[in-house]
Amino acid sequence: MAVTISNDFLQATIDEKGAELISLRANEIEYIWQADPKYWNRHAPFLFPFVGRLKDNQYTYKGKTYAMGQHGFARDKEFRIVEQTKDKATFLLESNDETRKIYPFDFTLMISYEIWGEGVRIRFNVENTGTEEMIFALGGHPAFNIPLTNDLKFEDYFIAFSPQKSRVKIPLEGPYANLDQKTIGQTNTNIQLSHELFKEDALIYETRGLNAYTLGSEESPHSVTLAYNNIPYVGLWSPYPTAAPFVCIEPWWGFADTVDSNGRLEDKEGMNRLAVNDTFKTEFSITVS
């Protein structure tokens, strides 16, 4: 089941499966990728309780081994709608016997969408409802149609960074992060889009404070911007070499296993730790023109 929220300018549709944004429409334009399986069969999934791939698709915690696929399980779970108004909808996922088999923590994950002006604000509440400290990662993975209109092509677009400053870039070695090979990414200028830009997989940057990323073109007034405050990482991705007509802007609170990971959850880089009965709150926004 999907629900739709809107105002006079913007309409967003969210699926209960994964609490996934499957449509964002304004100006008679669909901004969200429509999951053509020829390229990628998702729209804008959420990544929880892991971001990226684990070595051998598994991890250990307190000496026990758990199986876990890429990006965790939340994107494939049915959320429950707990609030819906004309311009807001909130979805809830709770731990259960099934999730405990692969992730040994009790939690609630609440995802809320709210339309405001020319954008949608997406808020997250992760609550530790268990009896021990919870270790988790969280991520957004929205894919945006590029080009936005049929008269343009992929290469007519650029990624604009705000603020325009250099950011630390984390390279991937296969699907794993190589922290020993960090470099300075030249995000102090716009980056022109090309499919070859993603030939080594996602571009991953460390981020601090206020950040915004815009997919735009000098040839069009239409663009899309994802913005946030104090999210530690962002990934920019489009499949290669399939020349897919979309780009993902992915705010991450965590990242894949490192090349030298020992597989222990207690030692995993980039994870968040949440005390018993505490709540982790964060958000990002998507605006369109």
Side-chain angles (χ1 to χ4, degrees), residues 62-97:
K62 293 186 175 180
K64 183 177 179 180
T65 299
Y66 298 86
M68 181 70 67
Q70 185 179 25
H71 294 325
F73 54 74
R75 60 184 182 170
D76 295 317
K77 296 296 185 184
E78 291 290 330
F79 283 64
R80 177 164 55 91
I81 300 171
V82 295
E83 179 185 8
Q84 184 181 0
T85 64
K86 183 179 185 300
D87 59 3
K88 185 177 181 180
T90 301
F91 301 80
L92 176 66
L93 178 68
E94 299 176 282
S95 56
N96 53 41
D97 289 343

Side-chain angles (χ1 to χ4, degrees), residues 1-288:
M1 177 182 172
V3 300
T4 297
I5 57 176
S6 64
N7 62 12
D8 291 340
F9 174 75
L10 189 65
Q11 176 179 288
T13 301
I14 307 105
D15 197 332
E16 281 185 276
K17 182 179 179 180
E20 183 175 4
L21 181 66
I22 60 174
S23 176
L24 189 64
R25 295 189 61 85
N27 304 306
E28 300 183 346
I29 294 172
E30 174 61 72
Y31 289 83
I32 293 293
W33 169 245
Q34 290 303 287
D36 182 348
K38 176 181 177 182
Y39 300 103
W40 190 55
N41 64 350
R42 298 182 187 268
H43 305 267
F46 292 113
L47 320 179
F48 175 88
F50 293 94
V51 170
R53 190 175 296 281
L54 301 172
K55 283 190 173 179
D56 300 319
N57 290 317
Q58 64 182 30
Y59 67 98
T60 64
Y61 178 67
K62 293 186 175 180
K64 183 177 179 180
T65 299
Y66 298 86
M68 181 70 67
Q70 185 179 25
H71 294 325
F73 54 74
R75 60 184 182 170
D76 295 317
K77 296 296 185 184
E78 291 290 330
F79 283 64
R80 177 164 55 91
I81 300 171
V82 295
E83 179 185 8
Q84 184 181 0
T85 64
K86 183 179 185 300
D87 59 3
K88 185 177 181 180
T90 301
F91 301 80
L92 176 66
L93 178 68
E94 299 176 282
S95 56
N96 53 41
D97 289 343
E98 183 182 357
T99 65
R100 292 184 198 100
K101 291 177 182 177
I102 55 176
Y103 181 65
F105 300 98
D106 285 316
F107 66 89
T108 62
L109 169 60
M110 189 173 294
I111 301 176
S112 177
Y113 293 82
E114 184 176 8
I115 297 285
W116 54 279
E118 297 177 350
V120 58
R121 183 178 291 112
I122 305 169
R123 294 190 174 99
F124 304 86
N125 281 21
V126 180
E127 183 179 0
N128 180 353
T129 59
T131 58
E132 62 178 322
E133 182 183 62
M134 177 181 169
I135 306 173
F136 71 98
L138 178 68
H141 202 314
F144 302 104
N145 286 322
I146 298 296
L148 291 170
T149 54
N150 293 331
D151 57 321
L152 297 179
K153 60 184 184 297
F154 190 89
E155 291 79 8
D156 290 327
Y157 285 78
F158 56 79
I159 304 172
F161 299 80
S162 179
Q164 285 196 329
K165 65 177 184 179
S166 298
R167 293 166 174 81
V168 173
K169 184 179 180 183
I170 301 175
L172 291 172
E173 189 173 308
Y176 307 118
N178 190 334
L179 301 185
D180 291 335
Q181 298 297 319
K182 288 182 180 180
T183 58
I184 299 300
Q186 300 305 310
T187 57
N188 55 341
T189 60
N190 294 350
I191 297 178
Q192 199 68 32
L193 282 185
S194 70
H195 295 292
E196 290 72 23
L197 183 64
F198 305 100
K199 66 182 179 181
E200 296 179 359
D201 210 330
L203 309 177
I204 303 170
Y205 301 98
E206 295 181 356
T207 62
R208 296 177 177 84
L210 289 168
N211 282 267
Y213 311 90
T214 297
L215 295 169
S217 171
E218 298 290 349
E219 309 298 322
S220 172
H222 301 299
S223 64
V224 59
T225 298
L226 188 147
Y228 58 73
N229 190 22
N230 291 329
I231 296 176
Y233 310 100
V234 68
L236 307 174
W237 176 74
S238 187
Y240 181 85
T242 57
F246 69 85
V247 172
C248 294
I249 305 174
E250 309 176 36
W252 292 344
W253 302 259
F255 52 84
D257 268 0
T258 59
V259 293
D260 57 356
S261 171
N262 63 16
R264 283 170 39 92
L265 182 60
E266 296 93 329
D267 300 332
K268 182 168 167 54
E269 297 270 3
M271 300 297 280
N272 306 279
R273 295 176 179 265
L274 190 60
V276 175
N277 295 326
D278 272 4
T279 302
F280 174 92
K281 298 181 179 182
T282 188
E283 65 181 65
F284 66 87
S285 66
I286 299 169
T287 55
V288 302

